[in-house]
């Protein structure tokens, strides 16, 4: 790969000028550059996975780790599916090139990864369910330019999935570059034998709650998506109103403001959480009245295991977080702050994951009441509470940022469509608030 002199500076300068939202703004340089040579786009996007030391600073522009770059790539494609006024200004040709290049980079970021473990599989399945159907493609005349470009992306994703499923080790060599695929694409070429149901089964067997991730990502009620249990709809004004937090919930920003010492900047270094599986999956606590922070501190001196179990199994609400906050701030409990914080976050994530559309909530081992069919907006509200809880812990120096690294990564992957989650990722990565 040839060196691209000054490419990192160009990325940053274009982003500063751009009106595009984060993280799509990271690619502003590509969108504003008129390049007739399709291979130029391959070269620029390949910076994301380049091993050339000269491209290290440009590579870090898209994320300091493969995980962060993966989240950014997937998030930008989602942003193109739900365009704002600024996104609508991007020509459809550039949008399609971006989709092709992003999917190619997702393969390169995770070479030799089996399909069932690939972090982009849910994204690929969702894209095919939304795009590869008459309700989407038949809006355009048969020879319409936009329809042809959409079909290119659909065909490319199918090609990626088929190659990885056949041989993960050889897939990277068999998948053509986006520029070559776009040049060679012929609309009348026979469709590959492809059954989306096979890959939906892979996701379901792996216990991946992909239907919940993408339930509200589209505005069209597609038959193919409905057949696989995804409700796609355009939110009504009433539904949109439900997404607005109440004033009390917004006021927790002030409640979480740092009150002890200087604000800690999240560390970029990687460190293990040092938490055992036994600690993460603590057993159910006794159903007593909820104790105060002072009572739990006292209990921890005599029965630390029981005190820890009571804390980590508390539900996701303000009252519980205030209790945990009080225990950690005191410094008097016979408990380890990182263990309490990580286990509470993990317990909350498992509860959100277990809440299914059929009314089952899995194991109800906390005092959180049975909640048949947790509403998507309620789930989003709880995720936002967890995000603010994490920010509070780090800002007040109650828990080292590195010990929450894996919890933050999981939240960012599972709930990337939520703005507060993307802001958390940006803050954790850069130490800067948006």
């Amino acid at each position: 790969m040839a060196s691209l002199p000054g490419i990192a500076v160009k990325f940053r300068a274009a982003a500063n000028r751009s009106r595009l939202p984060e993280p799509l703004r990271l690619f502003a340089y590509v969108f504003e550059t008129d390049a007739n040579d399709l291979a130029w786009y391959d070269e620029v996007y390949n910076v994301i996975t380049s091993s050339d030391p000269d491209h290290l600073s440009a590579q870090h522009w898209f994320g300091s780790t493969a995980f962060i770059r993966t989240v950014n790539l997937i998030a930008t494609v989602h942003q193109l599916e739900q365009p704002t006024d600024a996104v609508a200004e991007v020509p459809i040709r550039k949008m399609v090139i971006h989709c092709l290049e992003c999917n190619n980079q997702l393969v390169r970021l995770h070479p030799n990864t089996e399909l069932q473990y690939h972090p982009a599989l849910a994204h690929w399945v969702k894209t095919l369910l939304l795009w590869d159907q008459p309700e989407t493609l038949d809006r355009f005349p048969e020879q319409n330019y936009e329809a042809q470009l959409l079909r290119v992306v659909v065909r490319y994703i199918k090609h990626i999935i088929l190659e990885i499923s056949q041989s993960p080790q050889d897939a990277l060599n068999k998948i053509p570059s986006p520029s070559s695929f776009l040049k060679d694409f012929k609309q009348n070429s026979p469709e590959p034998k492809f059954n989306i149901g096979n890959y939906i089964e892979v996701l379901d067997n792996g216990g991946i709650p992909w239907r919940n991730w993408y339930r509200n990502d589209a505005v069209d009620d597609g038959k193919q998506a409905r057949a696989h249990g995804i409700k796609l709809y355009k939110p009504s004004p009433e539904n949109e109103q439900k997404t607005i937090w109440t004033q009390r919930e917004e006021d927790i920003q002030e409640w979480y403001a740092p009150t002890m010492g200087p604000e800690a900047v999240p560390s970029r270094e990687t460190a293990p959480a040092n938490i055992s599986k036994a600690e993460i999956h603590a057993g159910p606590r006794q159903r007593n009245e909820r104790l105060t922070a002072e009572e739990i501190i006292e209990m921890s001196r005599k029965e630390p295991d029981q005190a820890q179990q009571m804390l980590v199994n508390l539900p996701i609400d303000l009252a519980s977080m205030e209790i945990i906050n009080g225990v950690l701030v005191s410094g008097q409990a016979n408990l380890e702050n990182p263990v309490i914080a990580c286990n509470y976050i993990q317990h909350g994530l498992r509860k959100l994951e277990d809440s299914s559309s059929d009314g089952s909530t899995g194991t109800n081992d906390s005092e959180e009441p049975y909640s048949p069919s947790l509403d998507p907006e309620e789930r989003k509200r709880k995720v936002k509470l967890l995000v603010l809880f994490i920010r509070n812990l780090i800002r007040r120096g109650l828990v080292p940022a590195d010990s929450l690294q894996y919890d933050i990564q999981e939240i960012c992957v599972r709930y990337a469509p939520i703005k507060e989650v993307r802001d958390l990722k940006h803050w954790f990565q850069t130490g800067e608030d948006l």
Side-chain angles (χ1 to χ4, degrees):
M1 176 180 174
S3 177
L4 296 170
I7 189 68
V9 176
K10 295 176 181 178
F11 283 143
R12 190 176 302 277
N16 290 338
R17 295 190 297 267
S18 177
R19 296 173 52 241
L20 293 171
E22 288 279 3
L24 197 59
R25 186 183 305 168
L26 300 176
F27 297 89
Y29 172 64
V30 178
F31 296 137
E32 70 177 26
T33 302
D34 292 325
N36 294 323
D37 184 7
L38 292 176
W40 178 85
Y41 294 97
D42 292 343
E43 189 174 10
V44 172
Y45 279 86
N46 281 343
V47 166
I48 297 173
T49 50
S50 173
S51 58
D52 189 338
D54 292 339
H55 295 149
L56 188 60
S57 60
Q59 187 179 76
H60 282 188
W61 170 251
F62 298 100
S64 58
T65 66
F67 160 76
I68 294 174
R69 293 194 287 274
T70 298
V71 172
N72 282 337
L73 288 169
I74 294 176
T76 60
V77 176
H78 292 172
Q79 287 176 321
L80 292 178
E81 292 173 351
Q82 298 178 322
T84 62
D85 290 341
V87 173
E89 297 175 1
V90 179
I92 189 168
R93 176 175 177 270
K94 292 287 185 73
M95 288 185 178
V96 170
I97 290 174
H98 180 74
C99 291
L100 292 174
E101 296 287 357
C102 284
N103 287 307
N104 180 265
Q105 292 304 312
L106 288 171
V107 177
R108 292 176 174 274
L109 279 168
H110 306 279
N112 306 323
T113 301
E114 295 184 19
L115 189 63
Q116 62 266 37
Y117 304 121
H118 203 290
L121 178 59
H123 158 70
W124 289 331
V125 168
K126 182 270 303 184
T127 302
L128 292 179
L129 285 173
L130 297 184
W131 292 24
D132 190 22
Q133 54 178 304
E135 284 86 348
T136 300
L137 297 178
D138 288 353
R139 295 175 187 164
F140 307 103
E142 188 64 24
Q143 301 302 319
N144 184 275
Y145 184 55
E146 286 84 352
Q148 292 183 42
L149 291 176
L150 290 177
R151 288 186 173 93
V152 174
V153 177
V154 168
R155 189 78 61 85
Y156 193 60
I157 292 177
K158 288 182 179 179
H159 189 68
I160 287 174
I161 292 177
L162 289 172
E163 292 295 349
I164 295 178
S165 63
Q166 292 172 7
S167 176
Q169 293 75 22
D170 300 330
L172 198 56
N173 295 325
K174 292 185 177 181
I175 296 172
S177 67
S179 62
S180 299
F181 192 85
L182 194 55
K183 289 177 182 177
D184 298 338
F185 177 79
K186 294 180 176 59
Q187 186 173 344
N188 296 328
S189 299
E191 282 281 340
K193 292 183 178 180
F194 189 90
N195 183 357
I196 190 68
N198 294 338
Y199 307 103
I200 290 174
E201 185 177 357
V202 170
L203 292 172
D204 290 341
N205 290 342
I208 300 173
W210 62 282
R211 289 178 174 83
N212 290 333
W213 297 353
Y214 300 120
R215 183 180 299 275
N216 300 329
D217 266 15
V219 297
D220 295 294
D221 200 3
K223 294 179 181 178
Q224 186 176 7
R226 283 205 311 275
H228 295 289
I230 301 182
K231 182 180 179 183
L232 308 176
Y233 64 92
K234 186 173 184 178
S236 65
E238 293 78 10
N239 287 334
E240 290 179 342
Q241 185 65 28
K242 293 179 182 178
T243 67
I244 302 175
W245 282 20
T246 64
Q247 185 62 44
R248 178 171 180 265
E249 290 167 325
E250 291 176 339
D251 286 344
I252 63 179
Q253 287 277 10
E254 182 177 352
W255 176 69
Y256 274 120
T259 59
M260 294 179 59
E263 178 170 330
V265 177
S267 170
R268 295 174 181 266
E269 299 300 321
T270 301
N274 294 327
I275 299 175
S276 67
K277 290 184 178 180
E279 289 172 325
I280 291 178
H281 301 289
R285 73 173 182 85
Q286 299 297 320
R287 288 186 174 275
N288 300 327
E289 291 294 328
R290 188 180 300 186
L291 301 181
T292 65
E294 292 76 14
E295 290 170 329
I296 293 179
I297 292 171
E298 183 64 28
M299 178 188 294
S300 71
R301 295 165 183 162
K302 300 177 181 179
E303 300 177 275
D305 291 342
Q306 184 176 352
Q308 174 179 314
Q309 192 172 337
M310 294 187 70
L311 284 174
V312 302
N313 286 326
L314 288 172
I316 306 172
D317 58 31
L318 286 175
S320 299
M321 292 177 180
E322 190 170 7
I323 291 173
I324 296 174
N325 192 60
V327 172
L328 301 186
V329 166
S330 72
Q332 300 175 4
N334 184 24
L335 300 168
E336 296 183 19
N337 285 12
V339 173
I340 298 299
C342 292
N343 287 356
Y344 174 71
I345 294 168
Q346 282 295 316
H347 178 266
L349 290 173
R350 298 293 78 76
K351 293 298 295 183
L352 292 176
E353 180 181 322
D354 289 344
S355 299
S356 59
S357 59
D358 62 0
S360 170
T361 57
T363 57
N364 192 23
D365 56 0
S366 76
E367 66 176 25
E368 194 162 11
Y370 173 77
S371 175
S373 185
L374 187 63
D375 182 77
E377 294 305 327
E378 176 67 11
R379 181 181 289 107
K380 184 185 294 186
R381 188 185 71 83
K382 289 181 180 292
V383 171
K384 290 178 179 179
L385 283 174
L386 282 177
V387 166
L388 289 171
F389 178 69
I390 290 171
R391 290 175 70 109
N392 170 66
L393 294 176
I394 297 175
R395 292 172 67 180
R396 300 180 69 174
L398 299 177
V399 175
D402 288 342
S403 66
L404 298 177
Q405 171 181 307
Y406 299 112
D407 304 292
I408 293 174
Q409 288 182 354
E410 180 175 353
I411 291 174
C412 289
V413 169
R414 291 184 180 277
Y415 303 106
I418 299 176
K419 179 182 182 300
E420 286 76 6
V421 172
R422 298 195 298 272
D423 291 348
L424 172 67
K425 184 212 65 168
H426 176 83
W427 180 69
F428 185 74
Q429 177 186 356
T430 66
E432 300 173 355
D433 281 308
L434 291 177

